[in-house]
Amino acid sequence: MLERPKRKNPVLRTRLPTLPPAARSRVALGLTAAAALGRFELQQCRDCGDVQYPPREACQSCLSTKLRWKNQSGKGELLAETTLHHSNDLFFRERLPWRLGYVKLDSGPTVVAHLHASIKQAPEKVIVRAMLDRAGQAVIVALPEKENASMANDRQLREFTCDPKFRKILVTDGKTATGQALVKSLVKAGADLIWVGHSEPWKKFPGFDELQRLSQVTLLPLDLTDSKNVREAVAEIGGKVDIVVNTAEYHRGFGIGNRAGVETARAEMDVNYFGLLRLAQELGPAMRFRGADGQSGAVAWVNILSIYALANFPPHGTFSASKAAAHSLAQCLRAEMRPAGVRVVNMFPGPVDDEWNQLLPPPKITPAALANAVIKALQDGVEDVYPGDVAQEWLARWRDNPKALEKELSS
Ligand SMILES: [Zn+2]
């Protein structure tokens, strides 16, 4: 049973974060790339059909090098299990006891998996998934065949996820439709405390009263275009934030030719790119420092980017450019947060059904659906999310041929 974490003793020294072993061969990164999207993929031989594990350069049965990554059901049977009471690895030594088991997959290979507590003993049917560990690498986790309501509370599983339950969360802008939907979803998901940023504290905004009525919500003056304000806000709450969701966004239509001057483009960059940079410079170190606070440690940083970060959508051309810049910066942030085990989650929605996309025809993703996708990403522990039909379709086209997508979007 998961309990609310105890208050931290402020006199105690904070432990340095440790990470699980992170070295992988280049070919094994295929497993990690799929896990980052929440998929479990293994290599399958094109010549003999054999499914491979661990990842390798040539087929273990016929030595063919024609191996391709294919989605797996993860169904299998636990053959044997053990509980570690000792480990030479620092990360696991701090987390003992730890359960592991051998799982024979229905598709062939046998894998070593981390075991969910509700798996009793071998033999038992299980479902395995590839999940990212605190070092950002894929590991295999075995879950009970039937999902249960309290499944996410498992101590070992929470080492791989960033579940908002009992956590303290900063939503950087509560004024946007997405920000407001997100606060409601976080309350439903069991967040302990939510700071909701708003950039003009003297002004009420639509939805303000409703947010203020939620007992978990504390409103926080926060303007990501103001370095001094960001520094002051982080000085106040930085040492307590477990998860940050950056919803602050400036969005106007138009590309290059149909607007004079650079003021709008500069305002977009100032929030969407420099806003992220200012926040990362101030809050990043505070969260890195708290990566080792165990169950009450900092765990995740979520950026609401856009599918336009992958390929420019000329009717929203300067907005696309600001999101592409933010995407690149978010990759830098991910690398810098990794040593502390803090996961950077990037969301790439298609057009959101808000006031700035009024002129776009449907389909659009609703703010509520986007908010739920953020919660699910945290609960599943994934890194990159393309929520909604439009984002999924564009992602598929972009993976197939980035140039073709550029052409399609510009015609
Ligand atoms: Zn083969």
Side-chain angles (χ1 to χ4, degrees):
M1 189 54 212
L2 183 71
E3 285 169 20
R4 179 173 273 106
K6 294 193 177 62
R7 283 195 96 98
K8 193 185 161 189
N9 181 345
V11 183
L12 285 184
R13 196 175 68 91
T14 296
R15 283 185 296 138
L16 284 174
T18 53
L19 291 180
R24 298 286 192 281
S25 68
R26 188 161 201 279
V27 62
L29 290 177
L31 194 64
T32 295
L37 292 167
R39 296 182 196 166
F40 176 39
E41 294 182 2
L42 292 178
Q43 294 163 300
Q44 192 168 5
C45 176
R46 279 185 206 230
D47 288 327
C48 75
D50 214 46
V51 175
Q52 320 282 318
Y53 185 84
R56 61 191 76 223
E57 306 282 350
C59 173
Q60 58 190 351
S61 303
C62 74
L63 295 180
S64 163
T65 53
K66 289 187 205 136
L67 301 178
R68 64 175 161 187
W69 292 92
K70 285 197 77 177
N71 209 29
Q72 304 289 316
S73 75
K75 286 184 183 163
E77 185 175 29
L78 181 69
L79 300 179
E81 48 121 358
T82 186
T83 303
L84 297 184
H85 292 282
H86 172 82
S87 172
N88 287 332
D89 183 86
L90 271 180
F91 177 85
F92 287 105
R93 199 184 291 176
E94 289 170 351
R95 289 161 177 82
L96 296 171
W98 195 268
R99 283 178 82 219
L100 295 168
Y102 271 118
V103 176
K104 171 105 173 96
L105 297 178
D106 292 356
S107 60
T110 301
V111 300
V112 178
H114 303 278
L115 294 190
H116 190 280
S118 55
I119 296 171
K120 294 290 176 271
Q121 65 193 111
E124 189 175 324
K125 291 277 182 207
V126 296
I127 300 275
V128 309
R129 287 180 49 193
M131 298 186 79
L132 299 177
D133 65 12
R134 289 281 160 230
Q137 294 289 10
V139 292
I140 294 187
V141 179
L143 303 170
E145 198 183 22
K146 285 201 185 77
E147 287 195 21
N148 56 66
S150 58
M151 205 162 108
N153 295 343
D154 182 54
R155 180 181 66 89
Q156 277 187 217
L157 188 61
R158 268 176 82 99
E159 291 291 343
F160 304 108
T161 66
C162 314
D163 198 308
K165 189 170 183 183
F166 293 152
R167 287 193 159 122
K168 298 178 173 56
I169 300 169
L170 167 63
V171 176
T172 57
D173 190 354
K175 229 187 302 185
T176 65
T178 301
Q180 297 196 3
L182 195 65
V183 171
K184 286 172 207 155
S185 297
L186 286 169
V187 167
K188 250 189 247 160
D192 225 22
L193 174 63
I194 307 166
W195 293 280
V196 181
H198 59 129
S199 57
E200 292 160 318
W202 58 90
K203 208 157 91 184
K204 274 198 179 183
F205 51 87
F208 180 94
D209 290 325
E210 205 186 332
L211 283 186
Q212 226 179 12
R213 271 198 296 275
L214 297 167
S215 62
Q216 294 87 346
V217 166
T218 301
L219 289 165
L220 175 79
L222 180 62
D223 179 357
L224 294 193
T225 66
D226 178 348
S227 299
K228 182 167 168 281
N229 171 255
V230 173
R231 196 172 309 130
E232 286 166 357
V234 169
E236 195 183 322
I237 64 159
K240 292 176 268 185
V241 176
D242 303 328
I243 297 174
V244 56
V245 187
N246 185 15
T247 54
E249 182 175 286
Y250 192 92
H251 186 178
R252 298 293 181 271
F254 301 127
I256 299 169
N258 34 22
R259 186 189 283 114
V262 299
E263 278 66 34
T264 301
R266 184 177 280 152
E268 282 168 341
M269 287 299 270
D270 207 19
V271 176
N272 303 348
Y273 173 75
F274 286 110
L276 171 60
L277 179 59
R278 288 184 192 96
L279 190 67
Q281 283 174 335
E282 299 298 333
L283 186 56
M287 287 182 74
R288 270 203 298 276
F289 188 64
R290 290 190 48 250
D293 272 359
Q295 202 198 314
S296 51
V299 286
W301 183 302
V302 184
N303 297 306
I304 310 288
L305 301 173
S306 163
I307 193 77
Y308 304 154
L310 300 186
N312 193 287
F313 182 52
H316 294 224
T318 55
F319 173 76
S320 301
S322 72
K323 288 292 185 177
H327 177 210
S328 183
L329 190 69
Q331 290 176 322
C332 172
L333 180 66
R334 181 175 282 159
E336 292 190 7
M337 298 302 272
R338 186 163 295 144
V342 177
R343 183 161 303 161
V344 172
V345 180
N346 287 335
M347 307 292 298
F348 299 87
V352 180
D353 194 4
D354 63 16
E355 58 180 315
W356 308 111
N357 287 314
Q358 277 172 9
L359 297 178
L360 278 183
K364 291 180 264 192
I365 184 168
T366 63
L370 176 53
N372 288 336
V374 171
I375 307 294
K376 187 164 187 314
L378 291 168
Q379 288 168 339
D380 290 349
V382 300
E383 249 182 19
D384 292 315
V385 186
Y386 300 81
D389 294 341
V390 177
Q392 283 293 322
E393 198 186 318
W394 283 23
L395 173 67
R397 287 194 219 164
W398 179 74
R399 287 179 133 188
D400 185 48
N401 187 345
K403 193 69 190 171
L405 179 62
E406 183 194 321
K407 292 278 183 204
E408 281 171 338
L409 290 180
S410 62
S411 59

